[in-house]
Amino acid sequence: MKKILLALTAVAAMTGSASAADLAARPYVKAPLPAPVANWTGFYIFGGGGGGLSNSDQSVQTTVGAVPLTIGQRQGGSGWFGTVGLGYDWQFNSTWVAGVFADGQFGSIRGTVQDPFFGITGSLKLEDSWAAGVRLGYLVAPNVLSYVNGGYSGAHFGQTNFMTLAGVPAGAHLNSYNRNGWFVGGGVENSLNIFGISSPGWFMKTEYRSAFYNAKTQDELIDGTNLPTGNSIRANSWNQTISTSLVYRFNWTGPVVAKY
């Protein structure tokens, strides 16, 4: 009997040792890294081009006394332009981005200028403009920003040379001038990492902008002498543009990944 008890005790001891070995510490496995998070904070530059429409509310009045000679009339036009600019964005949480920017436009957006009293017509050309403003964007995806913007703008309008209804020079003109105003707009900006192609830092944006410039009174002048004809034209300007630009972000070398 004693021999049987001793045998059972030995078997139990061996079983306990095997169980303890099974409970030994397992090899360390590193936890998976969190998903990459895009970061829009930083400087960028851009360049592109597009097309625009021009509208102007005009009226003719006497140079002396500003006596109205015509009722107000709206004239229109269209054209193309190029643009370059720079800016800085700040991503202040997971979905919202705010920024400041400045840009310049150059090209040819033409509208019509008419003086029915003298029977002459000409072309008003927006040659270049600039803008400085702010924008606020919402990230519809980590690499896609939908935004609105607005701010201050200035524009340079070239000289208008009048023609008669017969299509010959009328011998009168309006001098070139500058006007200031404001703008509002919006657009979408997205990275170019598409179709399996990696292009760190490169983005594309498409933007609509509406710019308003205050009314200005311009005297009609005789060619050569610059003496007034006796009539003046008062007009404002409203320009709508759509542009597509290539953007390079200096801080964007790929998604930011947390390190451990």
Side-chain angles (χ1 to χ4, degrees), residues 24-63:
R26 296 181 179 179
Y28 172 73
V29 178
K30 188 176 181 180
L33 293 176
V37 178
N39 186 354
W40 287 72
T41 299
F43 289 96
Y44 63 90
I45 57 174
F46 63 89
L53 299 175
S54 174
N55 288 284
S56 177
D57 295 317
Q58 304 172 10
S59 61
V60 181
Q61 62 189 41
T62 61
T63 301

Side-chain angles (χ1 to χ4, degrees), residues 2-49:
K2 290 182 178 180
K3 292 180 178 180
I4 294 174
L5 292 174
L6 290 172
L8 291 175
T9 303
V11 171
M14 293 174 64
T15 304
S17 299
S19 298
D22 291 341
L23 295 176
R26 296 181 179 179
Y28 172 73
V29 178
K30 188 176 181 180
L33 293 176
V37 178
N39 186 354
W40 287 72
T41 299
F43 289 96
Y44 63 90
I45 57 174
F46 63 89

Side-chain angles (χ1 to χ4, degrees), residues 31-250:
L33 293 176
V37 178
N39 186 354
W40 287 72
T41 299
F43 289 96
Y44 63 90
I45 57 174
F46 63 89
L53 299 175
S54 174
N55 288 284
S56 177
D57 295 317
Q58 304 172 10
S59 61
V60 181
Q61 62 189 41
T62 61
T63 301
V64 178
V67 178
L69 299 176
T70 66
I71 61 174
Q73 53 186 336
R74 174 160 290 188
Q75 304 290 348
S78 60
W80 61 272
F81 68 97
T83 182
V84 293
L86 52 82
Y88 181 85
D89 282 332
W90 173 51
Q91 183 174 343
F92 54 89
N93 63 28
S94 61
T95 55
W96 291 96
V97 176
V100 295
F101 68 95
D103 57 40
Q105 296 84 36
F106 53 90
S108 176
I109 299 179
R110 294 179 179 271
T112 301
V113 181
Q114 291 184 339
D115 182 348
F117 189 84
F118 283 149
I120 56 178
T121 185
S123 177
L124 180 65
K125 178 182 176 182
L126 174 58
E127 295 181 338
D128 55 75
S129 62
W130 60 269
V134 298
R135 74 173 181 172
L136 178 65
Y138 178 80
L139 291 172
V140 297
N143 63 340
V144 180
L145 179 70
S146 176
Y147 65 89
V148 294
N149 58 16
Y152 188 76
S153 181
H156 175 74
F157 296 88
Q159 178 173 304
T160 297
N161 297 308
F162 286 107
M163 308 287 287
T164 68
L165 297 179
V168 298
H173 66 276
L174 299 175
N175 283 335
S176 62
Y177 64 96
N178 299 321
R179 292 307 290 159
N180 296 322
W182 55 277
F183 73 92
V184 294
V188 176
E189 183 175 336
N190 61 276
S191 72
L192 294 180
N193 291 337
I194 56 177
F195 305 122
I197 301 174
S198 178
S199 52
W202 290 101
F203 285 68
M204 179 180 72
K205 71 171 182 173
T206 298
E207 178 179 305
Y208 165 82
R209 186 177 295 182
S210 186
F212 303 85
Y213 300 104
N214 298 328
K216 182 177 179 64
T217 302
Q218 288 281 96
D219 296 339
E220 297 177 14
L221 304 175
I222 299 173
D223 293 349
T225 64
N226 281 333
L227 294 174
T229 65
N231 284 2
S232 298
I233 295 180
R234 182 168 179 80
N236 60 13
S237 183
W238 172 33
N239 297 283
Q240 302 179 77
T241 58
I242 295 179
S243 64
T244 297
S245 298
L246 191 62
V247 182
Y248 182 74
R249 294 184 165 273
F250 292 98

